[in-house]
Amino acid sequence: MKLEFIDTKAENAFDLLCGKVNGCVLCSRMKDSQRVLNHSSGSLDAEIMFIGEAPGRLGADNSGIPFHGDKAGHNFEELLEFANLDRSRIFVTNAVLCNPRDESGNNSTPTKVEVHNCSQHLAEQIKILNPKIVVTLGSIALESTRHVAPHLLTLKDDVRTANEWFNRILIPLYHPGQRAMMHRSFANQRSDYQFISEEFKRLTKKSVSSKLQTSSINHSVFLIVKEIFAHLNSIDYFKLHKLFYLIEYKYFKKFNSRLTNAYIVRQKDGPYCTDLHFQKIKKALPELVIRNKAGNLILNYSASIFAPPSEIDNKAKEIIIEVLKDYGQLTSQAIKTKVYLTEPMRKFLKLENEGKLNLYNVPIEFNQTVHTAIRSLK
Ligand code: URA
């Protein structure tokens, strides 16, 4: 079996665009900032593209993953989950691809000029992906689409409506950050995301589950985390991500289906699961205690004695026990080595070492062994 990078038009164009975005110096206050456009933005085959405002200081600017790591990101991911929209099947970007900060270093709103500067990158993303539906999150995102092709939509008058625009459908929504909740409650925003799923179904005559969700999902991420804690009640946060990856990997190898629909990307130190952001775990498991020990987060959890029995099936239990027995006591460094010995990670490293690709932030897709950019050819 030979691995090759497929030179598809979209993959090439996207990689070229990321290079161009990385070299962009149009906005003076952000000319040295990190740019948040990479493979963790989602699938290039996505039929739905979400556009936010700009990477947040504590979120995308820190994680490198659009809408991930801050409050706006948590809300967004919760809304996606509510509408059964799987992150690996959509594409998420921002009107401005760098984090705009004020003089005190806090997030600030991008200026009209900055939105205009970045709109050429947005136009290229739309051209490469050619999504059926574009969803704008907030007024800045809506404004950015006007630079790509004109329209007269406003957030106030046209929220949650499907509009013909530039050979596709444009749906204006409010931003999921806390500030916008004053104008649009979370309950209303949930219905907005449901509307997107329905619109998608109407356009493609396919149900969300057939097209946007990973098939054969057996369990929720937090059910698995709870089961891990039932065996190890104190875990290093770094190690939790690696153990979770190993559980998903072993489960997929044995049963040829995903255990959860967790979105796992290859970050600098190995697999990182967006669903396992510590604030999300804390929200799902309120009894969790998080301590910071010399820069490492240590998670402690003991289920309440009144907790109902685990709903996890025996197949999942068996894999979790096997992984915890083999790797649960290893140090973070040793578990990282084990992770890098698994097939998807070895393939990432091989391609990187050959200098073919930068696979940082690429989603790990177990069913194709590595990302869609890489196909195995006989
Ligand atoms: N994170 C993003 O990526 N975009 C936003 O608009 C807000 C947070």
Side-chain angles (χ1 to χ4, degrees):
M1 200 152 79
K2 189 164 120 271
L3 268 176
E4 249 171 45
F5 173 49
I6 289 272
D7 270 353
T8 61
K9 252 170 86 185
E11 292 286 350
N12 271 347
F14 185 70
D15 287 340
L16 275 176
L17 175 62
C18 292
K20 197 161 132 193
V21 166
N22 279 326
C24 175
V25 287
L26 282 177
C27 305
S28 53
R29 72 166 159 164
M30 295 183 282
K31 65 180 182 352
D32 299 318
S33 309
Q34 183 191 196
R35 282 94 225 272
V36 184
L37 182 71
N38 54 61
H39 283 282
S40 75
S41 305
S43 162
L44 298 185
D45 295 330
E47 292 180 300
I48 306 181
M49 175 191 270
F50 286 86
I51 308 172
E53 181 175 309
R57 181 174 66 91
L58 300 174
D61 192 45
N62 190 33
S63 64
I65 305 169
F67 272 109
H68 178 70
D70 54 5
K71 188 65 188 150
H74 296 329
N75 289 346
F76 176 66
E77 288 169 341
E78 207 174 313
L79 290 162
L80 289 180
E81 198 181 332
F82 175 78
N84 277 333
L85 297 164
D86 187 329
R87 216 180 155 137
S88 64
R89 315 278 152 141
I90 59 168
F91 189 86
V92 188
T93 188
N94 280 296
V96 167
L97 296 169
C98 302
N99 170 227
R101 294 191 189 181
D102 63 18
E103 277 145 20
S104 324
N106 296 317
N107 285 332
S108 80
T109 308
T111 64
K112 283 192 184 310
V113 172
E114 288 164 347
V115 172
H116 181 259
N117 286 345
C118 220
S119 63
Q120 52 174 293
H121 305 316
L122 180 64
E124 286 194 48
Q125 291 168 72
I126 294 176
K127 192 168 144 212
I128 294 168
L129 271 98
N130 195 20
K132 285 197 168 56
I133 299 178
V134 169
V135 183
T136 54
L137 303 175
S139 53
I140 300 284
L142 187 59
E143 178 194 328
S144 72
T145 54
R146 265 183 230 121
H147 295 294
V148 176
H151 63 72
L152 297 171
L153 304 170
T154 66
L155 189 50
K156 193 166 142 287
D157 294 334
D158 302 297
V159 60
R160 201 206 289 174
T161 56
N163 306 277
E164 298 275 347
W165 170 77
F166 195 38
N167 295 327
R168 65 203 82 239
I169 295 294
L170 177 59
I171 304 179
L173 295 189
Y174 277 83
H175 192 273
Q178 286 309 96
R179 256 184 305 141
M181 296 288 165
M182 283 192 312
H183 307 285
R184 194 88 172 158
S185 69
F186 200 63
N188 252 330
Q189 294 206 29
R190 284 179 154 197
S191 318
D192 295 343
Y193 283 66
Q194 202 68 54
F195 176 82
I196 298 168
S197 292
E198 273 148 29
E199 196 52 32
F200 177 78
K201 192 156 119 193
R202 191 183 67 74
L203 280 179
T204 61
K205 313 260 183 299
K206 284 176 191 140
S207 72
V208 163
S209 56
S210 69
K211 195 74 174 93
L212 290 177
Q213 268 182 297
T214 314
S215 57
S216 319
I217 297 309
N218 291 303
H219 289 291
S220 95
V221 169
F222 299 111
L223 214 52
I224 305 302
V225 171
K226 251 178 150 169
E227 188 63 25
I228 298 175
F229 278 120
H231 298 272
L232 292 178
N233 45 41
S234 176
I235 312 176
D236 177 322
Y237 182 59
F238 176 93
K239 221 165 108 175
L240 179 64
H241 283 261
K242 310 302 173 254
L243 286 172
F244 190 88
Y245 163 81
L246 287 166
I247 290 168
E248 278 281 6
Y249 170 68
K250 300 255 169 186
Y251 189 92
F252 189 82
K253 258 183 96 162
K254 184 146 185 190
F255 302 113
N256 200 29
S257 75
R258 283 289 306 267
L259 176 60
T260 72
N261 66 353
Y263 188 53
I264 307 179
V265 294
R266 180 261 202 270
Q267 293 226 318
K268 186 160 71 43
D269 285 321
Y272 170 80
C273 173
T274 58
D275 306 75
L276 292 184
H277 189 280
F278 66 93
Q279 282 160 348
K280 286 192 189 177
I281 311 177
K282 176 78 187 151
K283 192 166 174 200
L285 310 178
E287 299 93 343
L288 187 81
V289 177
I290 306 177
R291 284 181 300 124
N292 188 331
K293 196 173 153 200
N296 285 333
L297 294 184
I298 310 291
L299 315 185
N300 283 285
Y301 177 79
S302 313
S304 143
I305 48 167
F306 303 112
S310 160
E311 296 153 40
I312 219 159
D313 69 26
N314 286 339
K315 280 167 33 181
K317 246 188 200 148
E318 181 196 316
I319 299 288
I320 294 171
I321 291 170
E322 188 186 313
V323 167
L324 296 183
K325 187 166 132 288
D326 293 347
Y327 310 105
Q329 302 307 324
L330 298 184
T331 61
S332 293
Q333 196 47 47
I335 198 165
K336 184 173 161 186
T337 308
K338 295 288 182 198
V339 160
Y340 272 96
L341 290 173
T342 60
E343 212 184 338
M345 297 310 290
R346 278 210 325 264
K347 286 180 179 163
F348 277 140
L349 285 187
K350 182 167 181 276
L351 283 154
E352 283 174 338
N353 291 340
E354 285 169 358
K356 284 191 184 161
L357 291 167
N358 170 7
L359 296 171
Y360 184 57
N361 263 333
V362 169
I364 301 172
E365 291 186 12
F366 297 88
N367 46 352
Q368 287 164 312
T369 319
V370 189
H371 176 247
T372 40
I374 307 153
R375 305 268 154 81
S376 47
L377 302 174
K378 292 243 159 62

